[in-house]
Amino acid sequence: MNFFMDGTISYMKMWHGVELQQSDVTELYAPYNIAHHFWDFRGTCSEGDGQYSDEEGLPACKIAAAGNKPNGRRTGVEKCAAGRYSIGANDGCETCSPGQFSDEDGASSCKTSPPGYYPNDDRTNVTKCEVGKFSHAGSTVCTRCSEEGQYTGKEGSESCKPAPPGYRPYGNNTGIAKCEIGKYSLGGKNNCTRCAGEGLYADEEGLSACKYAPPGFKPNSDRTNIVQCEPQTFSFGEKMRV
């Protein structure tokens, strides 16, 4: 079928063995063919299922492929913008679900945010969790370490770690510090414990247990060291007083 500038139409006489009449030809909006019309007794590409026509004289509309949608006039397709996707045969693109993102145009599906990351507000990319926080795969936010004695120590953590023996978390669970002298920790605790048992002391940082005073010595008052017994006194060790 051809359209001429004077408005006349030359159309096919046969279509797949069927004789056609001029009345069978759908009336178009212009005296010549335009891309978003096609010749199949209807005329215009339908809404709702991603139809478009980017060539003249097509017998049927095309269907938008995955990652694309028809443009406003249905004369072609446009890629879905980052943060959105389409599985195809749709007039529009969908926003990625919570915990998912799309960091490139033309996506047919969204990606799941990996451990230690969360999607940004427009779901076009992901951001690392801050130090002291963690996230699992598909999380929408990062969570601060809240269990006793835990920390992360770096960005992008997928879980928190327990503080090792001789250490405690500090600064909103962003790192660990050695126990001070006079104190100890078995690990996995928020605070270090001062040596308190009979004859116990800690004369260095980062101890997982207190030491016993040796024979002839006793711990000082703050348990940070030992002192010799005074004249005419003695100690078998492991005692505070003599």
Side-chain angles (χ1 to χ4, degrees), residues 40-51:
D40 73 342
F41 303 106
R42 290 183 299 164
T44 304
C45 294
S46 300
E47 296 182 2
D49 55 1
Q51 291 189 9

Side-chain angles (χ1 to χ4, degrees), residues 116-117 129-130 132-136 139 141-146 150 152 156-160:
Y117 292 78
C129 292
E130 307 162 41
K133 295 183 177 182
F134 72 99
S135 77
H136 302 303
S139 296
V141 295
C142 298
T143 305
R144 185 164 296 283
C145 299
S146 59
Q150 292 197 340
T152 61
S157 295
E158 61 179 293
S159 62
C160 297

Side-chain angles (χ1 to χ4, degrees), residues 14 26 30 42 46 51-52 58 85 95 107 161 171 183 226:
M14 299 290 292
T26 302
R42 290 183 299 164
S46 300
Q51 291 189 9
Y52 72 99
L58 290 179
Y85 75 101
T95 301
K161 300 183 287 187
K183 296 182 179 182
I226 51 175

